[in-house]
Amino acid sequence: MRKTLLSLALVCAVGAPVHGAVLEGNALYETLFKTGTLAQIETGEKLVYRRDVTNKALPDAATRDTGDVVLSLEQGDALMANLEFRQDDMHRNLGSFPASIGNPMIMYFAETVARDMAETSGGSPFYIRNRLKEALVSAAEITEGEADLEGTDIPVKIVVLRPFADDPNRDRMHGFEDLELTVAMSDSVPGWYLSLTAVTPAESTVGYRSETRFVTVEATQ
């Protein structure tokens, strides 16, 4: 079995950025939705991610949504990436996506953040989802640095997005108006994504944080 463990201190271990820039349009899209990221994953392997959620406004929802997300590949008419949520003995199918488009974890991340925000703030899930989608393909800051992976420093790209910074409805978002999304990526990690994080500022009354981080590659039993 091939197993790769990611330090739980990944985000804290990201070193000083080498340089900063702004990605726009296609460049941002191609970085966040990089194709071919599942090409090196064998059909008999699974990528395991850990999703940890904190939500002071809805603590029960945070407990409900904290667990493992497992990505497996299945060959049918096309190679499909299947996502499954695991929490204790509960396993729930999250959907199947063509593996050719890349790793669907970023789509899962965006969808769960949109759902959490709508559930907590009472806002329209359609409006929130559309704003998040726009942020993922518009413009964002990117830096390069290093992170620790099993005792080895690996290069990482870190993209930061603030989807509601200029939103005309900021005053109706109940603490989510300054939500910040951070995506850390590296070719040195199976599946491309090291971590995907959404967090409200410390002074926000909602106290929301969602972090989905790569943990390991496990063999199919």
Side-chain angles (χ1 to χ4, degrees):
M1 177 179 67
R2 174 165 64 92
K3 179 174 286 189
T4 306
L5 297 179
L6 178 65
S7 166
L8 297 185
L10 169 67
V11 176
C12 296
V14 173
V18 175
H19 66 269
V22 175
L23 288 180
E24 299 182 12
N26 288 338
L28 177 60
Y29 178 86
E30 290 170 3
T31 298
L32 291 174
F33 295 88
K34 185 176 181 180
T35 59
T37 52
L38 299 178
Q40 302 303 316
I41 309 303
E42 299 175 8
T43 304
E45 295 177 328
K46 296 181 178 182
L47 302 186
V48 181
Y49 299 83
R50 178 67 181 178
R51 184 176 190 235
D52 288 301
V53 183
T54 301
N55 189 333
K56 293 181 180 178
L58 291 177
D60 290 342
T63 301
R64 175 198 67 196
D65 296 331
T66 293
D68 293 333
V69 181
V70 180
L71 185 156
S72 60
L73 298 179
E74 182 178 358
Q75 183 67 61
D77 293 337
L79 185 62
M80 302 297 291
N82 302 321
L83 295 183
E84 180 185 64
F85 181 77
R86 295 177 181 175
Q87 188 183 65
D88 299 323
D89 295 329
M90 182 190 74
H91 292 191
R92 175 165 52 88
N93 181 45
L94 298 173
S96 298
F97 309 84
S100 59
I101 67 173
N103 189 337
M105 283 302 298
I106 191 167
M107 293 183 286
Y108 169 76
F109 168 69
E111 182 62 31
T112 53
V113 170
R115 182 199 64 195
D116 292 351
M117 182 175 168
E119 182 180 20
T120 306
S121 69
S124 165
F126 306 104
Y127 182 85
I128 295 168
R129 186 180 295 112
N130 287 336
R131 292 296 295 167
L132 290 178
K133 287 181 178 179
E134 289 173 10
L136 292 170
V137 296
S138 54
E141 302 169 12
I142 183 170
T143 57
E144 294 184 5
E146 293 183 336
D148 178 74
L149 178 62
E150 289 193 306
T152 301
D153 288 338
I154 61 170
V156 293
K157 297 180 185 294
I158 306 161
V159 169
V160 179
L161 307 102
R162 299 176 180 87
F164 306 107
D166 301 314
D167 195 288
N169 295 304
R170 279 174 52 83
D171 60 344
R172 299 167 58 188
M173 292 185 176
H174 303 286
F176 283 93
E177 60 272 11
D178 292 314
L179 182 75
E180 184 173 279
L181 310 180
T182 303
V183 183
M185 302 152 281
S186 176
D187 284 320
S188 299
V189 173
W192 181 237
Y193 303 113
L194 281 79
S195 63
L196 304 104
T197 307
V199 61
T200 56
E203 64 272 16
S204 170
T205 56
V206 72
Y208 176 79
R209 179 183 178 87
S210 169
E211 181 186 25
T212 300
R213 63 181 180 269
F214 172 76
V215 178
T216 190
V217 177
E218 68 176 31
T220 302
Q221 300 296 322

